[in-house]
Amino acid sequence: MKISESDCILLLDTENKEINEDKELERDDFDGGSDDEQNCDFSNNAIDDLNCDSFNNVDDEPHSSDPSWPQSYRKSMDLLGTVASPSLSFVGSPRGSFLLSSPKQRQSSKVTTSLGNPLLPPLADNQRHTSNHSLHSQWTSSTKTLSQSLHQKPQIRQSSFSQAVVNGVNLLCGVALLSTPYAVKEGGWIGLSIMFIFCALCFYTGLLLRDCLDTNPRLQTYPDIGEAAFGIPGRLLVSIVLYVELYASCVEFIILESDNISTLFPNAHVIIGGNQLNSHSFFAILITFIILPTVWLRDMSVLSYISAGGVFVTIILVVSLFWIGLVDNIGFQMETTKMLNLSTLPVSIGMYGYCYAGHAVLPNIYMSMEKRSQYPLVLFASFAICTIIYAGVAIMGYMMFGESIESQFTLNLPPKLLASKIALWATVISPLTKYPFSITYALTISPVAKSLEELIPLKHSKSHVYSILIRTALVISTLIVALTVPFFGLVMSLIGSLLSMLVSLIFPCACFLRILRGNVTRFQVSLCVLIIATGFISLSFGTYTAISEIIQQYL
């Protein structure tokens, strides 16, 4: 007796159902890492509270009917969190997997296959009429392979230690570098200690995100952690805050570009309808229309290849500043500096907090690592390198220009010096190469656009017209905000106080305590509570002071 194809299909469905049932019974007993990683123990209560349904379709194309919005977060954040180059190749096909980059994804508790391929390879024509024993043997072998795949990770090339450090530095050391001397001015020399405090706290909360990810292989991104801790409301809250932070970074991008280009061409202006646009407004509008076509691209992976230049641009800025101060000898203004400035200290708090606002992408860097046990060392190296750079520029810039320092030190550099021109042009190029003004405006706004595109009704999701309209509206809105609030340093302080404190300090601790509750020590609880309190105090005073200073600019 021979088994027909319909019987094979029925057998396949039955076996799949049994595998899924076994998978649900064993979902709390899994290996959370590779052989060289430490397994993390966690309470059953934390997993029971996890809404696992939202992770069942991570490989599907996102659309408005998917309850676990946003599904496009991992794709877009992988572009922001990795340096793509021929030697550091992280970018993969945008459709072959839920991951856009090539890092080895954790094994989820469903069989991950290409949506366009059959679960089992088709049999050749001469093999369709095999004996019952032969077919049963093949099927047994196939189901055994499927069962093993539930507990194994795909062998995909991942980032090495050095690549992960470069990614971390490129992520953290953004154009906040330009404002660290201004932050010292706002808080005084004593206020500089706040930067080192935030460095230590953000390093620790970065480790907490790792601990949260290790509790369940379904967790891939920051919004996933928020959902594991507080359900769908947690996922929505975390996602919205992260997207607002990216949107605000795009506003800062336009302000930064218009400030520095108008410094290079101060006499540029245009008259429209009898109204004259100054150089700042003119270049803000010009930059917006230049970048608009790049935002319409759906596949942003081609743009990410310029991200490798971010670290080199940072080096150029640092060398230019020190060259002007030490070689060109423009002098120092130590007599005008202050030890402490209490009235504007909260402004500097927000700016220092912004320096370490990289937690939105830290889970992606962790997931991309070949040896995840090295993540603490990667995080330490990245934070240490960035802190040395931040502190060096802050001290040198404030010593050189004292209380006259601008929100971006490049605006203070003598325009006739060659090093000044190099620094100015590097600043103009820098937002096109680094996060959070990273990898281009288009890549920064892309996660926000993709999340909104998920809300498009499914029948219209294939139309590119709606995508263009959404992205164009986002770009024009950032231009309007930038022209309305053209204060680079104060906007950065507001972002750092209101959003970065939530993302970098408050959310990681809250999620950690919720997911691993009952499995944390008293010291960890006390430290997390202290960090949350620090975050809320910094958020309250920093946000109030930044908004007050912005209002004062109009009075």
Side-chain angles (χ1 to χ4, degrees):
M1 177 180 177
K2 297 182 180 180
I3 299 178
S4 64
E5 290 185 23
S6 60
D7 292 334
C8 292
I9 295 175
L10 179 61
L11 178 61
L12 174 62
D13 292 338
T14 302
E15 291 293 336
N16 279 337
K17 290 180 180 179
E18 293 177 357
I19 291 175
N20 289 334
E21 291 174 357
D22 294 338
K23 175 180 58 182
E24 289 296 322
L25 293 174
E26 298 174 1
R27 65 187 179 94
D28 288 336
D29 183 17
F30 61 88
D31 182 7
S34 58
D35 294 338
D36 60 349
E37 290 179 299
Q38 295 180 353
N39 295 327
C40 180
D41 295 331
F42 55 92
S43 66
N44 292 331
N45 292 334
I47 299 302
D48 291 338
D49 290 339
L50 177 62
N51 185 352
C52 296
D53 292 338
S54 62
F55 301 109
N56 289 340
N57 297 316
V58 293
D59 294 315
D60 297 336
E61 288 294 328
H63 54 77
S64 58
S65 63
D66 196 324
S68 53
W69 177 90
Q71 287 296 305
S72 60
Y73 185 88
R74 179 67 191 264
K75 287 184 178 182
S76 52
M77 286 299 174
D78 274 341
L79 288 178
L80 291 175
T82 55
V83 175
S85 68
S87 60
L88 302 174
S89 55
F90 293 84
V91 181
S93 172
R95 290 191 176 274
S97 168
F98 175 67
L99 302 182
L100 181 59
S101 60
S102 64
K104 178 174 60 178
Q105 61 178 346
R106 289 184 168 197
Q107 178 61 39
S108 67
S109 55
K110 63 176 260 184
V111 179
T112 304
T113 60
S114 175
L115 297 178
N117 297 329
L119 191 61
L120 294 176
L123 296 176
D125 292 336
N126 60 353
Q127 294 177 318
R128 290 186 181 276
H129 300 289
T130 56
S131 65
N132 183 15
H133 176 74
S134 176
L135 180 60
H136 180 72
S137 299
Q138 292 179 17
W139 172 243
T140 302
S141 176
S142 299
T143 53
K144 182 178 179 181
T145 302
L146 290 176
S147 300
Q148 291 175 347
S149 68
L150 293 174
H151 305 285
Q152 294 178 354
K153 299 180 180 181
Q155 297 301 317
I156 304 175
R157 186 177 62 176
Q158 297 180 308
S159 59
S160 64
F161 174 84
S162 59
Q163 289 171 326
V165 172
V166 171
N167 290 335
V169 173
N170 196 55
L171 166 70
L172 293 172
C173 199
V175 295
L177 175 71
L178 301 175
S179 296
T180 50
Y182 182 78
V184 179
K185 169 200 169 183
E186 294 295 289
W189 288 113
I190 295 178
L192 184 61
S193 61
I194 296 175
M195 183 178 70
F196 298 100
I197 294 175
F198 279 142
C199 174
L201 297 182
C202 290
F203 168 76
Y204 179 72
T205 56
L207 296 178
L208 296 185
L209 291 179
R210 183 273 314 265
D211 294 338
C212 292
L213 290 171
D214 283 343
T215 60
N216 195 311
R218 293 184 178 94
L219 304 184
Q220 301 277 337
T221 65
Y222 207 148
D224 292 346
I225 295 174
E227 183 175 356
F230 302 104
I232 295 298
R235 182 182 186 88
L236 293 176
L237 178 61
V238 170
S239 300
I240 291 172
V241 171
L242 293 175
Y243 286 137
V244 171
E245 185 181 36
L246 283 177
Y247 178 87
S249 297
C250 291
V251 173
E252 283 278 77
F253 169 90
I254 296 176
I255 299 174
L256 171 71
E257 291 291 272
S258 59
D259 283 348
N260 284 277
I261 298 179
S262 60
T263 301
L264 291 170
F265 307 99
N267 298 323
H269 65 277
V270 63
I271 299 176
I272 302 177
N275 297 320
Q276 178 175 320
L277 293 178
N278 58 27
S279 60
H280 181 279
S281 300
F282 169 69
F283 284 117
I285 296 173
L286 180 62
I287 285 293
T288 301
F289 281 100
I290 289 176
I291 63 178
L292 183 58
T294 65
V295 175
W296 294 337
L297 295 174
R298 280 191 169 182
D299 184 7
M300 296 290 175
S301 59
V302 65
L303 297 179
S304 67
Y305 279 84
I306 65 175
S307 64
V311 176
F312 298 104
V313 172
T314 298
I315 295 174
I316 291 175
L317 289 172
V318 174
V319 171
S320 297
L321 177 66
F322 277 78
W323 182 278
I324 294 172
L326 301 178
V327 179
D328 292 334
N329 292 321
I330 68 167
F332 296 95
Q333 302 182 27
M334 289 293 297
E335 65 279 359
T336 65
T337 60
K338 298 180 180 179
M339 289 301 297
L340 184 64
N341 194 346
L342 287 176
S343 61
T344 55
L345 180 62
V347 174
S348 67
I349 290 177
M351 301 182 76
Y352 289 136
Y354 189 86
C355 291
Y356 301 101
H359 287 59
V361 194
L362 287 182
N364 298 62
I365 292 180
Y366 174 63
M367 299 297 293
S368 74
M369 293 183 60
E370 180 180 3
K371 297 181 179 180
R372 293 177 186 166
S373 60
Q374 295 179 338
Y375 174 75
L377 187 57
V378 167
L379 203 62
F380 177 81
S382 301
F383 273 79
I385 293 172
C386 292
T387 301
I388 292 173
I389 295 174
Y390 281 142
V393 170
I395 295 172
M396 177 61 70
Y398 191 45
M399 289 174 57
M400 290 169 58
F401 305 109
E403 289 297 300
S404 64
I405 188 70
E406 298 285 346
S407 60
Q408 304 159 55
F409 72 77
T410 51
L411 303 180
N412 290 91
L413 300 179
K416 295 183 179 180
L417 297 178
L418 176 61
S420 299
K421 295 179 180 180
I422 293 175
L424 280 171
W425 280 109
T427 304
V428 172
I429 298 173
S430 178
L432 303 177
T433 57
K434 301 184 327 129
Y435 178 86
F437 306 91
S438 51
I439 317 176
T440 74
Y441 178 103
L443 285 177
T444 308
I445 201 68
S446 179
V448 185
K450 286 181 179 293
S451 68
L452 295 178
E453 289 167 6
E454 291 183 43
L455 305 178
I456 299 175
L458 183 59
K459 61 181 180 179
H460 299 302
S461 61
K462 300 300 182 181
S463 176
H464 198 32
V465 174
Y466 294 92
S467 174
I468 291 177
L469 292 176
I470 289 175
R471 292 165 185 255
T472 302
L474 283 173
V475 173
I476 298 301
S477 66
T478 57
L479 171 63
I480 294 174
V481 175
L483 293 176
T484 305
V485 192
F487 314 116
F488 183 83
L490 295 179
V491 172
M492 178 180 291
S493 177
L494 180 60
I495 298 173
S497 299
L498 180 59
L499 301 175
S500 298
M501 294 301 167
L502 290 172
V503 173
S504 302
L505 296 183
I506 299 174
F507 286 166
C509 293
C511 292
F512 173 79
L513 293 178
R514 175 69 175 176
I515 294 176
L516 287 94
R517 64 184 185 276
N519 229 15
V520 295
T521 64
R522 290 184 178 180
F523 173 78
Q524 290 175 318
V525 173
S526 301
L527 185 56
C528 286
V529 171
L530 177 62
I531 294 175
I532 291 174
T534 302
F536 274 115
I537 293 174
S538 302
L539 183 152
S540 301
F541 284 98
T543 302
Y544 173 79
T545 305
I547 293 176
S548 299
E549 290 290 325
I550 291 174
I551 294 175
Q552 288 292 327
Q553 296 293 328
Y554 291 102
L555 299 179

